[in-house]
């Protein structure tokens, strides 16, 4: 199973980049993909803050689960390759990412560490009214909404992401695509509780230990 992430796929996050110490981001013509390695957190377990000497930040995202094998998928057919969606958290070691971006190096150490890819309960896209209606999602930290957006706000939509990445990598059943985060990212601390929502459906509950 592959876990793929997409960087800077919401204009609001591109805009906030300088405020969190990252280089200013222009809207990209093509999606920016990265791998999350074997970093999936086991279901129904807390996230243990790693002893990396780093600032670990949450990034809430809509996550797609690939449901069939595909290579070089045309965008008009891409909707056939995913049926389920959830809210996930792409945990990021922000200080390591800042340093890597400043030096023009890969983000691997900032994005791939144990448990840094979290997914919630899966929902069927048709039951959510997609694609006729965009999919709204949000993240709460200790009961306070810190991120909120919907799928229509993405620079590159679901189908474009699948078409683009499948030019280079075969997508297989069970692969996950974290589709990008909106503005509002921030640090986590021991004792906090993160909750992810699709509309009014709570799909993720994550204590920080």
């Amino acid at each position: 199973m592959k876990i793929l992430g997409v960087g800077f796929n919401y204009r609001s996050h591109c805009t906030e980049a300088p405020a969190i110490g990252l280089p200013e981001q222009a809207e990209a013509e093509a999606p920016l993909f990265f791998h999350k390695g074997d970093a999936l957190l086991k279901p129904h377990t807390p996230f243990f803050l790693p002893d990396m000497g780093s600032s670990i930040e949450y990034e809430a995202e809509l996550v797609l689960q690939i449901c069939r094998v595909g290579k070089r998928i045309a965008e008009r057919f891409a909707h056939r390759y995913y049926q389920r969606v959830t809210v996930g958290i792409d945990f990021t070691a922000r200080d390591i990412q800042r340093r890597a971006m400043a030096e023009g190096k890969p983000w691997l150490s900032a994005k791939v560490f144990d448990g840094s890819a979290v997914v919630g309960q899966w929902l069927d896209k048709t039951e959510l009214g997609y694609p006729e209606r965009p999919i709204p999602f949000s993240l709460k930290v200790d009961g306070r909404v810190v991120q909120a957006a919907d799928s229509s706000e993405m620079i590159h939509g679901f189908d474009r992401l699948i078409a683009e990445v499948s030019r280079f990598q075969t997508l297989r059943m069970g692969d996950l695509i974290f589709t990008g985060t909106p503005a509002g990212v921030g640090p986590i601390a021991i004792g906090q509780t993160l909750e992810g929502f699709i509309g009014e459906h709570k799909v993720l509950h994550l204590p920080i230990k």
Side-chain angles (χ1 to χ4, degrees), residues 8-196:
F8 301 105
N9 199 28
Y10 285 79
R11 293 176 183 88
S12 62
H13 184 49
C14 293
T15 300
E16 79 170 346
I20 60 174
L22 300 178
E24 185 174 353
Q25 300 295 315
E27 184 175 324
E29 292 186 8
L32 172 62
F33 288 100
F34 57 89
H35 272 267
K36 289 287 290 180
D38 184 18
L40 190 65
L41 185 69
K42 293 176 65 174
H44 311 299
T45 59
F47 177 77
F48 288 90
L49 198 63
D51 184 18
M52 296 167 53
S54 298
S55 174
I56 307 299
E57 298 195 0
Y58 59 79
E59 298 186 7
E61 327 205 349
L62 289 172
V63 183
L64 304 179
Q65 185 182 60
I66 299 301
C67 63
R68 60 194 295 184
V69 176
K71 172 73 172 175
R72 300 194 64 86
I73 301 163
E75 186 170 345
R76 67 184 182 277
F77 299 131
H79 66 278
R80 301 177 181 176
Y81 289 81
Y82 62 98
Q83 190 63 34
R84 303 203 297 172
V85 61
T86 192
V87 171
I89 300 174
D90 167 22
F91 282 119
T92 302
R94 190 68 70 199
D95 53 338
I96 296 175
Q97 186 189 33
R98 291 189 192 108
R99 186 163 58 249
M101 293 183 74
E103 297 173 358
K105 295 180 179 178
W107 308 352
L108 181 68
S109 298
K111 290 289 189 177
V112 184
F113 48 91
D114 289 346
S116 64
V118 183
V119 294
Q121 173 190 349
W122 295 99
L123 300 178
D124 190 290
K125 67 180 182 182
T126 55
E127 294 177 4
L128 297 170
Y130 185 83
E132 288 76 15
R133 296 195 302 269
I135 300 175
F137 70 103
S138 59
L139 180 73
K140 292 182 180 180
V141 176
D142 293 338
R144 180 175 65 90
V145 176
V146 293
Q147 289 187 279
D150 69 54
S151 57
S152 70
E153 299 175 48
M154 292 189 295
I155 297 170
H156 307 290
F158 296 157
D159 296 350
R160 172 74 193 285
L161 295 176
I162 287 173
E164 185 68 20
V165 76
S166 70
R167 294 174 55 206
F168 307 100
Q169 301 182 50
T170 299
L171 293 176
R172 304 186 187 281
M173 292 178 63
D175 287 349
L176 305 180
I177 301 178
F178 283 66
T179 59
T181 196
V185 303
I188 58 170
I190 293 173
Q192 290 180 325
T193 299
L194 278 57
E195 297 173 298

